[in-house]
Amino acid sequence: MTDLRTSPPESLAELRRRYRLERERRVRHDGNRQYLAADAEFGYYAADPYAEAAEREPLHDIVDVAVIGGGFGGVLAGARLRERDVRRVRVIEKGGDFGGTWYWNRYPGIHCDIESHVYLPLLDETGYVPEWKYAPGEEIRRHAVRIAEKFDLYADALFSTAVTSLSWDERARAWAVTTDRGDEFLATYVVTATGTLSEPKLPRIPGIRDFEGRTFHTSRWDYAYTGGGPDGGLTGLSDKRVGVVGTGATGVQVVPKPAEDAGHLYVFQRTPSTVDVRANRRTTAREVGAVRDGWARERRENFLRIVSGEPADEDLVADGWTASAGLLEKLLPSFRREGGRTFEADYEVADAVKMNEIRDRVERLVADPGTAAKLKPWYRYACKRPTFSDTYYQAFNRGNVTLVDTADTHGIERMTERGVVVGDTEYELDCLIFATGFSVGGSGIASGALPVHGRDGVRLHDAWRERGPRTLHGFTSDGFPNLIRLGGVQNAGSVNFTHVLDEHAVHAAALVAAAEDAGALIEPSPAAEDAWLATMAEDAPDHEWFHAECTPGYYNAEGRGRPNGPSAYPHGAFAFHRLLERWRAESMEEFLRSRTSVPR
Ligand code: NDP
């Protein structure tokens, strides 16, 4: 392949042209409408395969804090509240146990591709040291349980329960919480930790109802049918024709396992992922520095610094994420240049070198040139979520694995009772597995899926639809006292999402503790919200054009580019966490005093 470091500028122009064509080939006019939610008649795709909802009487009581969601966000909020001696913390969770993403996703091959020593939270606090650089899903799920046990979150938790409404009760100065199990209770504070990618989605394929074989979503793996477990051994598939739709981060982890066991595996790909080296291995406590207090905190700060594009003296994690941070450093100035909308030259070359490395990897590892050609990604790095695997490309060298490229037909065209149709071919299948991802923000309070009525009955979803989201730091809003949202809008994210959630949990717990001390409500003034909007707008990077040139996916609202308004803190998660620390030290008291509290 051309070495772009030494080749003439026309090579870059040619690459740009190729990327544009690949994008145009994939953009669909129906954008997000091409997907179906896994509810109503498709509800079985989202049903809990791991637990039956236990019978219980509805609750009518009062708690200090209701935490909505028992994934890492909820577990961390619970733990950080306990550290502040908050007594009655009730976590309400749809699943049958704590774990969130790691409760639901148990597909074969499941691992976290963020280093376990920075991904698993509260390692310093629990004394746990992971043994693998990239932990299997079950170990991560158990860690969520470990934290919940250590901080005594089981006592008040409600599982297999969904919150159906939140209404501010002015007289009680508390939130009235209702659930789908008939509970109606009061909570002085509510923390929402409903996740961002939690509701499974399906492609709206004509005939999807007609298929008579077995079918399920990767986040609800049907081991009763496939046999085996997360490590593989899917013996139930040995005489089956199996299809996997989707080759995102999940598909890349899943495919090698049924490839080992299925009679025949068809992988239906629309856009290939970038699949880089993972090099998972056992680690020792000594080599990760787990020999002194605070080691885990230090390591995850170092990781966050690097992946946020901040300078760091050393790279403790040293993996594919930190290696690609150099690209980000070269990219960021293009988003901040006055009248920009073009790349700095050194970024484009560095990106092309990286992408060529990945395309070379495909060529090296995949024996059949036709298959290798289909597996090569033609877009800029990080247009789609980068993935890592040491077994994915190799799976296509097996005689029982066929890659079916569906880019020209914009995905699977049709399903019949026997299988899947792409172009002129019907692929007959016994089982079709959807690795088709999740609705973005589908379960959050901003989406309206959970009705929230604040002061004077104002519905949060309506207020935000009219005026756009208004918050202080993304967590709290005027008119919705004592309601704290973790993650998502108007703060700062990162690939190491558990770290972000932990910082948010620390902040939420500090707010609750200080409000209790002051006898105050947690509620920003409109002026505080205006100031936060202004902080986000000032220096807001212009990166819509980058996403608009990318192939479609959930990163760019299926090809439409992302809204370029002030929807995030512009200087990244590392700087945002420092800002929160300063605010807690210098301004939190004043903030709470301004709302001390008689109802208005
Ligand atoms: P994604 O949304 O990333 O991928 C969905 C896949 O389904 C894509 O390959 C998409 O193709 C394909 N698809 C959708 N509709 C069709 C169709 N009609 N025909 C053919 N193909 C179709 O979901 P994932 O579950 O893979 O990942 C979601 C997120 O979860 C990740 O981005 C990551 O944040 C997280 N994750 C993290 C992991 C970790 O190790 N940390 C592991 C797994 C997931 P196209 O690209 O063309 O749209």
Side-chain angles (χ1 to χ4, degrees):
M1 215 165 272
T2 326
D3 181 349
L4 281 138
R5 280 166 293 211
T6 53
S7 64
E10 302 86 74
S11 316
L12 276 184
E14 173 54 26
L15 205 52
R16 272 181 226 136
R17 197 183 67 84
R18 177 81 196 254
Y19 288 177
R20 200 172 49 249
L21 288 177
E22 291 290 335
R23 175 192 145 84
E24 280 164 11
R25 196 152 84 93
R26 289 181 163 81
V27 172
R28 290 172 54 132
H29 71 276
D30 51 357
N32 262 321
R33 278 178 292 113
Q34 69 181 283
Y35 294 109
L36 278 172
D39 57 15
E41 65 180 301
F42 297 100
Y44 70 90
Y45 281 102
D48 187 344
Y50 318 112
E52 293 270 330
E55 282 298 314
R56 64 172 176 81
E57 291 299 312
L59 295 173
H60 303 280
D61 58 358
I62 301 176
V63 295
D64 296 320
V65 188
V67 177
I68 306 181
F72 270 119
V75 166
L76 288 164
R80 296 305 188 185
L81 285 161
R82 286 276 194 247
E83 285 181 339
R84 300 272 185 172
D85 295 326
V86 178
R87 267 190 332 115
R88 292 212 65 188
V89 177
R90 172 169 295 154
V91 180
I92 305 115
E93 164 57 42
K94 282 185 194 166
D97 200 349
F98 290 107
T101 292
W102 303 99
Y103 174 85
W104 296 111
N105 287 277
R106 304 189 194 192
Y107 54 79
I110 185 165
H111 279 71
C112 185
D113 61 17
I114 305 291
E115 196 205 56
S116 53
H117 307 95
V118 299
Y119 183 81
L120 267 61
L122 303 196
L123 293 180
D124 294 311
E125 291 79 352
T126 55
Y128 183 69
V129 183
E131 287 180 4
W132 287 89
K133 193 160 175 76
Y134 302 102
E138 181 58 10
E139 179 179 345
I140 304 172
R141 188 185 72 75
R142 286 215 198 107
H143 188 63
V145 168
R146 178 177 298 118
I147 298 171
E149 283 170 349
K150 179 175 167 72
F151 291 93
D152 191 24
L153 299 178
Y154 276 95
D156 267 320
L158 298 180
F159 296 114
S160 306
T161 303
V163 173
T164 47
S165 73
L166 294 173
S167 312
W168 177 246
D169 180 333
E170 193 76 62
R171 259 186 335 136
R173 294 186 63 197
W175 287 93
V177 182
T178 65
T179 75
D180 63 354
R181 305 289 298 275
D183 308 300
E184 289 180 13
F185 58 88
L186 289 174
T188 312
Y189 304 90
V190 171
V191 176
T192 68
T194 45
T196 48
L197 293 169
S198 49
E199 305 293 316
K201 70 180 199 262
L202 304 165
R204 197 183 289 279
I205 305 171
I208 186 169
R209 283 182 207 80
D210 302 339
F211 181 58
E212 287 175 355
R214 188 68 77 116
T215 161
F216 54 88
H217 189 271
T218 45
S219 66
R220 308 290 190 272
W221 193 272
D222 187 351
Y223 283 109
Y225 177 75
T226 65
D231 292 333
L234 311 172
T235 49
L237 299 182
S238 60
D239 57 347
K240 303 284 192 302
R241 299 157 300 177
V242 179
V244 171
V245 194
T247 55
T250 302
V252 165
Q253 292 191 346
V254 164
V255 160
K257 294 298 181 191
E260 283 169 14
D261 296 309
H264 201 95
L265 177 69
Y266 295 93
V267 180
F268 296 97
Q269 167 191 279
R270 192 165 61 181
T271 312
S273 278
T274 56
V275 188
D276 213 335
V277 174
R278 189 169 69 175
N280 199 7
R281 60 186 171 81
R282 278 194 183 277
T283 50
T284 62
R286 176 164 294 279
E287 85 175 85
V288 297
V291 284
R292 60 188 148 70
D293 288 348
W295 70 274
R297 191 164 305 118
E298 209 177 282
R299 195 172 178 90
R300 74 178 192 181
E301 284 295 332
N302 175 261
F303 182 79
L304 186 65
R305 226 179 219 289
I306 295 172
V307 298
S308 303
E310 301 269 347
D313 293 339
E314 55 183 339
D315 177 358
L316 294 173
V317 169
D319 71 354
W321 291 106
T322 58
S324 65
L327 264 184
L328 178 69
E329 258 172 59
K330 292 189 167 62
L331 178 60
L332 288 178
S334 315
F335 297 158
R336 297 199 178 280
R337 205 188 25 232
E338 284 290 308
R341 305 217 153 212
T342 52
F343 294 115
E344 309 287 335
D346 63 343
Y347 161 74
E348 253 193 315
V349 171
D351 181 74
V353 169
K354 177 76 215 164
M355 289 302 291
N356 272 358
E357 219 175 270
I358 292 189
R359 291 185 284 259
D360 282 347
R361 184 165 189 249
V362 178
E363 219 159 75
R364 249 192 354 267
L365 297 178
V366 179
D368 172 52
T371 306
K374 291 179 197 159
L375 285 166
K376 286 182 190 168
W378 293 100
Y379 47 80
R380 297 192 176 94
Y381 194 71
C383 264
K384 287 193 167 277
R385 188 186 196 277
T387 75
F388 306 87
S389 172
D390 298 331
T391 49
Y392 179 71
Y393 287 138
Q394 293 86 335
F396 294 95
N397 294 333
R398 302 179 65 103
N400 66 329
V401 178
T402 304
L403 177 70
V404 182
D405 188 42
T406 69
D408 285 332
T409 53
H410 290 102
I412 288 180
E413 282 176 285
R414 202 153 48 81
M415 284 175 70
T416 65
E417 63 232 42
R418 289 176 304 278
V420 153
V421 179
V422 180
D424 298 332
T425 312
E426 180 180 26
Y427 296 87
E428 292 195 14
L429 300 171
D430 300 297
C431 170
L432 183 63
I433 301 164
F434 289 105
T436 44
F438 305 86
S439 317
V440 179
S443 62
I445 57 177
S447 74
L450 166 60
V452 178
H453 292 95
R455 285 185 196 283
D456 307 319
V458 172
R459 193 161 172 244
L460 184 122
H461 183 59
D462 296 339
W464 284 15
R465 201 176 39 204
E466 273 164 33
R467 305 179 62 195
R470 291 179 57 83
T471 70
L472 173 60
H473 303 146
F475 301 127
T476 53
S477 297
D478 175 49
F480 301 87
N482 290 1
L483 175 67
I484 306 172
R485 294 171 34 254
L486 301 196
V489 186
Q490 298 192 346
N491 39 48
S494 165
V495 288
N496 190 11
F497 201 51
T498 54
H499 182 178
V500 167
L501 288 171
D502 192 26
E503 298 283 351
H504 293 188
V506 164
H507 191 72
L511 277 169
V512 168
E516 284 292 287
D517 286 348
L521 291 174
I522 304 169
E523 187 182 10
S525 62
E529 292 177 340
D530 285 341
W532 184 240
L533 282 169
T535 302
M536 285 188 298
E538 196 182 297
D539 243 3
D542 174 11
H543 43 52
E544 187 189 11
W545 55 277
F546 174 84
H547 295 288
E549 288 184 8
C550 285
T551 45
Y554 81 87
Y555 271 23
N556 65 355
E558 297 303 325
R560 284 157 195 220
R562 287 201 292 204
N564 200 27
S567 57
Y569 179 67
H571 304 292
F574 187 81
F576 180 62
H577 300 162
R578 301 292 83 78
L579 177 145
L580 291 179
E581 263 168 26
R582 271 196 313 278
W583 185 86
R584 289 198 294 270
E586 295 164 12
S587 312
M588 183 164 65
E589 215 175 289
E590 167 63 28
F591 162 80
L592 288 166
R593 249 205 321 272
S594 70
R595 285 295 167 114
T596 312
S597 265
V598 264
R600 290 184 295 185

